[in-house]
Amino acid sequence: MQLVFLLLLLIGVLAYQWHMRRSTTLTRACRWRMDRSVAPDYWHCAACGAQWRGDEPRDCLRPGRGQE
Ligand SMILES: [Zn+2]
């Protein structure tokens, strides 16, 4: 019984770490908002203030965060 509990705990920790790594690398905590008052295809990030024109961006475009 104790072994099953430890196994579930280990799986939970691994799943949590995997989820955190996946979410941080994919979205980088950016929250893109469309602003049609500026332009029909204008986006800005509510988290870091980055700006974008075109299709909805997926990554953070804040300068100095590893974007080539
Ligand atoms: Zn951002």
Side-chain angles (χ1 to χ4, degrees), residues 1-63:
M1 197 61 190
Q2 205 173 18
L3 192 67
V4 175
F5 176 75
L6 284 174
L7 204 65
L8 284 173
L9 191 70
L10 184 67
I11 291 173
V13 169
L14 287 175
Y16 176 76
Q17 286 180 342
W18 175 79
H19 172 75
M20 288 301 290
R21 196 170 61 188
R22 187 165 185 260
S23 61
T24 49
T25 51
L26 279 185
T27 66
R28 294 178 189 176
C30 262
R31 281 180 281 174
W32 291 99
R33 301 276 159 76
M34 176 177 269
D35 193 350
R36 290 183 186 274
S37 65
V38 179
D41 59 351
Y42 175 83
W43 298 82
H44 74 272
C45 175
C48 71
Q51 297 176 336
W52 178 258
R53 294 287 298 273
D55 293 332
E56 182 178 2
R58 290 176 183 170
D59 294 330
C60 185
L61 299 175
R62 186 165 73 178

